[in-house]
Amino acid sequence: MSRVSRGPEPADTGGAAGGTGGGSDDAAFTALLEDSAEDLYESAPCGYLSTLMDGTIAKVNGTLLGWLGRERDEVVGRMRFTDLLTVGGRLYHETHFAPLLRMRGEVNGIALEVLAADGARMPVLATSVVKTGAGGEPLLIRTTLTDARDRRAYENELLRARRAAEEAQRQAEDDRARLQSALTVLQQSLLPDVLPEVPGLAAATHYRTASPERLGGDFYDLFPVGGDRWAFFLGDVSGKGPQAASLTSLARYTLRTAAPYAADPAAALAVLNTALTDRYTGGDPRYCTAVFGVLRPDGDGFDVRVASGGHPPAVVTRADGGAEFLDTPGGMLVGILPDAPFTGAHTRLGPGDSLLLYTDGLTEARVGADRDLFGEEALRAFAAEHADGGPDGLVTGLVRLIDGFGGGLTDDTALLCLGVPAAPEGDGT
Amino acid sequence: MDVLTRNNVVVTGRPDGPTVVLAHGFGCDQNLWRLVAPRLEPDFRVVRFDYVGSGRSDLSAWSAERYGALDGYARDAVEVCAALDLADAVFVGHSVSAMVGVLAAAAAPERIGALAMITPSPRYIDGAGYRGGFSAADIEELLESLDSNYLGWSAAMAPVIMGNPERPELGRELENAFCATDPDIAAVFARTTFLSDSRDDLKTVAVPTLIVECAQDVIAPREVGAYVHAAIPGSRLVTLDATGHCPQLSAPEATAEAIAAFARART
């Protein structure tokens, strides 16, 4: 092949073949050199055409005429480039190809289809260059069209695969969204939409799932139980997911049903204990911790009796700025043993006092650089600092605190805070 | 996100001049006005923008519902006019944007005082007693063209999308790819453009209107230009000795002059 360097001009044929080589190699080489520019154009392995700036075809090669099944004089001066295209291709040409060509002076590898005289379509890849005059003014457009039948078939396969993949992804996303909305509805059924208005009592709640894709296992409620009494509870079931949700639902509705008939708070927890031990027998014990309480109006405040089954102690904040635990030591987890004992406690909420119930997602959050447990004592101190805002102020402060935990909050957290509004300043003087 | 960023609004020209708003049609983006804008800038305040879904608009603001009807594009146009607090502007709409302009002018008559329609068509599909030049099947064929050319551009765009700060020339490629849109978005725009029927809307035009058509235009042939002219009483029809659907590119000087003469006659 090094001999090619001797002279690329087609005219340089004379005695070149008489050189050093022999036989058929020389004959082939001679044929190569005799390849005229005209023949290179006419018989090129791609379609060639030159058009005026208005698209009128001024020159076209034999290869393209062959593809089109047309005579040269049908095409030259009579047809425009867009006349060779399918209607869709014509639209694409006018809205994409032509503007790009005008702006850039060239476009590469645009997929189009040319229409043969007999209506047959042939996929091609079109590349165009604008030839400009000395002053930069556009003179004509040179276009090559390469046969893209094989490539288009291959691309169609790719497109089909892409569409299938996109469809599968859409399907998966739809399924996920449906599941998410089912979970949300189910989660909402485990908690009251809004708390009832209790005369003389302020209440605030917050619920935070550690993961929106998993059903949480915390629950709370506040509801009337006849006369002027109100019952409330807050609890945390073992585990997460659908089983925990089903347990939560059972716990919530059992407590609501038992509340009006229970002689005291411990009796309500005992009913729940029986329900759980009856329901979850054998090798799948399920249990929960819970605080259950009853409120009774008492002068300018409320008399509060609670019972706890294995639940962290409630915090009581006082109008004077103090905060103490309402201790309920020794209460068993609910649902473990048939005759579990539950511990009762009693307090009074006067004006400016609040009772905070929470689940251990809050106190077991990991905080700080050492990822220490937040802890019950820190919660008590925090509650004391935020006591003067009443239930709303305390819960708002806690929500802000939880926000700051970020990834340190690994479990669901429920808050229920009940309080007696502080007496207006100057009242009674 | 504010409208000026969402629609990639660019304001040039004489700040105290009358305002012309240049709105692109289906296919590319405001770059299409690149040769026309400089010719208007000495006398006019020139506003260009990209519809959401095109060019460098905020694609996250796009939805198939809003942009599946010309009304969605008209809302973009009105919101751009409102964001600039325009009054009595000349709205220059290319191709489908001419019909968008009709809707926008009806919705915000205080902001749009005149319409210049560049190669407009109120209906691309043939129907009884009307020749728009295309059939519904032709439009499906266009969608296939969009799709088959997507493979090419996605390959070209991939390095840009992935971010490649050490290769600044990719920024230029991005600019060159201005006609490349997400094919799902382009398909919605294509269907909205080519399947809409705005013939009845032409009756609502109540502002001075200029129609600019090309002598040779396969998308909006001259009989369509004549139809629009006849449907809008008092409209002016200018036929440019130009080929193609984008006279802003094939005959920028004549296009700019037609727009300028029309806008000047109003002041």
Side-chain angles (χ1 to χ4, degrees):
Chain A
M1 292 306 288
S2 64
R3 300 169 89 184
V4 174
S5 65
R6 293 191 321 172
E9 298 83 4
D12 182 17
T13 52
T20 53
S24 60
D25 276 1
D26 274 356
F29 190 66
T30 304
L32 188 66
L33 293 180
E34 281 173 352
D35 219 357
S36 70
E38 179 68 14
D39 194 47
L40 278 172
Y41 179 81
E42 282 300 328
S43 310
C46 63
Y48 264 117
L49 75 164
S50 303
T51 57
L52 305 181
M53 292 311 290
D54 70 0
T56 307
I57 297 172
K59 197 167 157 65
V60 58
N61 77 343
T63 308
L64 182 53
L65 288 172
W67 290 348
L68 295 172
R70 290 185 188 277
E71 297 299 324
R72 192 176 304 271
D73 56 9
E74 286 179 70
V75 175
V76 172
R78 289 169 179 255
M79 295 178 85
R80 294 171 194 275
F81 177 48
T82 48
D83 294 333
L84 307 182
L85 305 176
T86 58
V87 182
R90 224 172 275 168
L91 283 169
Y92 188 79
H93 179 274
E94 291 298 315
T95 53
H96 291 75
F97 190 107
L100 264 179
L101 181 60
R102 284 280 183 168
M103 308 290 280
R104 297 171 57 184
E106 61 176 52
V107 282
N108 289 318
I110 302 290
L112 294 169
E113 284 186 320
V114 292
L115 273 180
D118 63 2
R121 291 153 178 258
M122 175 165 160
V124 294
L125 289 176
T127 294
S128 290
V129 180
V130 175
K131 178 183 162 58
T132 53
E137 73 282 9
L139 296 178
L140 54 88
I141 300 166
R142 289 174 174 154
T143 301
T144 58
L145 302 176
T146 50
D147 181 348
R149 280 174 289 202
D150 287 350
R151 182 184 145 143
R152 193 65 53 81
Y154 168 65
E155 283 180 349
N156 283 339
E157 279 309 309
L158 284 182
L159 269 179
R160 253 194 295 279
R162 176 164 72 87
R163 289 204 186 105
E166 284 171 353
E167 183 50 38
Q169 190 184 348
R170 248 194 296 276
Q171 187 69 43
E173 278 165 9
D174 285 356
D175 289 349
R176 188 185 158 91
R178 255 198 305 279
L179 183 60
Q180 187 63 57
S181 81
L183 286 178
T184 305
V185 170
L186 197 49
Q187 183 79 64
Q188 283 162 355
S189 79
L190 304 178
L191 299 169
D193 288 339
V194 285
L195 292 182
E197 294 277 338
V198 180
L201 189 80
T205 63
H206 181 68
Y207 189 84
R208 174 85 53 109
T209 49
S211 156
E213 277 142 41
R214 302 193 63 179
L215 285 164
D218 291 359
F219 59 95
Y220 59 78
D221 210 344
L222 171 66
F223 53 98
V225 282
D228 48 3
R229 295 184 313 141
W230 296 78
F232 61 88
F233 57 77
L234 177 141
D236 181 359
V237 308
S238 60
K240 284 191 182 304
Q243 275 99 351
S246 127
L247 176 58
T248 305
S249 182
L250 177 63
R252 180 176 179 212
Y253 291 103
T254 301
L255 285 177
R256 279 193 74 119
T257 310
Y261 310 106
D264 60 40
L269 288 181
V271 172
L272 176 59
N273 189 61
T274 305
L276 294 189
T277 47
D278 284 358
R279 165 72 180 77
Y280 298 100
T281 53
D284 183 28
R286 298 211 164 248
Y287 54 89
C288 67
T289 68
V291 175
F292 180 93
V294 175
L295 298 164
R296 184 195 301 276
D298 175 32
D300 60 357
F302 284 88
D303 175 82
V304 183
R305 289 176 189 280
V306 303
S308 168
H311 200 82
V315 175
V316 179
T317 66
R318 296 300 180 190
D320 65 6
E324 71 226 17
F325 288 111
L326 182 57
D327 280 318
T328 45
M332 290 284 293
L333 293 171
V334 185
I336 291 283
L337 291 176
D339 293 305
F342 300 107
T343 310
H346 171 247
T347 189
R348 182 180 185 281
L349 296 180
D353 296 346
S354 296
L355 172 72
L356 172 68
L357 306 182
Y358 55 92
T359 55
D360 60 10
L362 174 59
T363 47
E364 292 182 1
R366 299 284 173 171
V367 297
D370 297 333
R371 298 185 57 74
D372 293 328
L373 289 181
F374 177 60
E376 290 173 7
E377 180 48 38
L379 173 61
R380 193 201 58 78
F382 186 92
E385 280 170 36
H386 292 76
D388 55 358
D392 273 338
L394 181 50
V395 169
T396 304
L398 284 168
V399 168
R400 221 170 285 137
L401 178 74
I402 292 169
D403 287 342
F405 289 167
L409 191 77
T410 55
D411 198 1
D412 300 339
T413 299
L415 302 174
L416 171 62
C417 189
L418 309 171
V420 179
E425 267 179 52
D427 188 38
T429 60
Chain B
M1 175 171 284
D2 75 303
V3 169
L4 300 184
T5 310
R6 185 193 69 181
N7 289 96
N8 187 25
V9 176
V10 174
V11 182
T12 57
R14 224 178 88 185
D16 60 343
T19 304
V20 294
V21 180
L22 305 179
H24 70 85
F26 165 74
C28 296
D29 61 24
Q30 61 176 276
N31 274 298
L32 226 59
W33 299 105
R34 214 190 273 175
L35 305 179
V36 166
R39 293 175 159 92
L40 297 173
E41 282 160 1
D43 294 324
F44 301 97
R45 186 176 177 221
V46 179
V47 175
R48 277 168 285 176
F49 69 97
D50 295 332
Y51 288 110
V52 169
S54 300
R56 296 192 188 185
S57 64
D58 175 19
L59 296 187
S60 70
W62 189 86
S63 75
E65 298 73 51
R66 173 161 169 159
Y67 297 99
L70 291 186
D71 262 328
Y73 301 86
R75 277 167 63 192
D76 272 23
V78 169
E79 284 161 13
V80 166
C81 290
L84 294 171
D85 197 23
L86 301 184
D88 203 29
V90 178
F91 186 90
V92 183
H94 175 227
S95 193
V96 68
S97 255
M99 298 306 131
V100 171
V102 169
L103 300 175
E110 70 289 354
R111 302 209 179 275
I112 296 172
L115 292 173
M117 303 178 163
I118 313 297
T119 59
S121 171
R123 176 69 172 160
Y124 295 91
I125 311 279
D126 295 337
Y130 177 82
R131 216 184 82 77
F134 298 95
S135 70
D138 295 334
I139 305 310
E140 290 307 313
E141 211 174 62
L142 167 66
L143 298 180
E144 280 168 31
S145 284
L146 289 172
D147 240 358
S148 52
N149 280 297
Y150 172 60
L151 282 178
W153 86 255
S154 62
M157 292 289 285
V160 180
I161 291 162
M162 287 187 297
N164 212 336
E166 65 273 20
R167 288 188 59 198
E169 73 274 17
L170 291 180
R172 219 181 76 78
E173 277 177 34
L174 183 64
E175 192 176 317
N176 288 340
F178 71 92
C179 287
T181 323
D182 179 311
D184 290 340
I185 291 178
V188 170
F189 198 1
R191 283 210 169 85
T192 309
T193 297
F194 291 107
L195 301 181
S196 63
D197 187 348
S198 304
R199 284 174 290 178
D200 285 346
D201 296 320
L202 295 180
K203 296 174 195 151
T204 69
V205 174
V207 296
T209 301
L210 168 72
I211 300 153
V212 177
E213 63 172 9
C214 290
Q216 298 286 342
D217 180 351
V218 296
I219 293 192
R222 291 197 59 183
E223 52 193 301
V224 171
Y227 180 94
V228 176
H229 181 41
I232 305 175
S235 62
R236 221 166 84 73
L237 175 66
V238 171
T239 307
L240 301 180
D241 182 21
T243 308
H245 191 54
C246 303
Q248 313 98 301
L249 296 175
S250 60
E253 209 150 320
T255 305
E257 189 36 54
I259 294 168
F262 173 66
R264 243 181 250 123
R266 300 190 56 251
T267 55

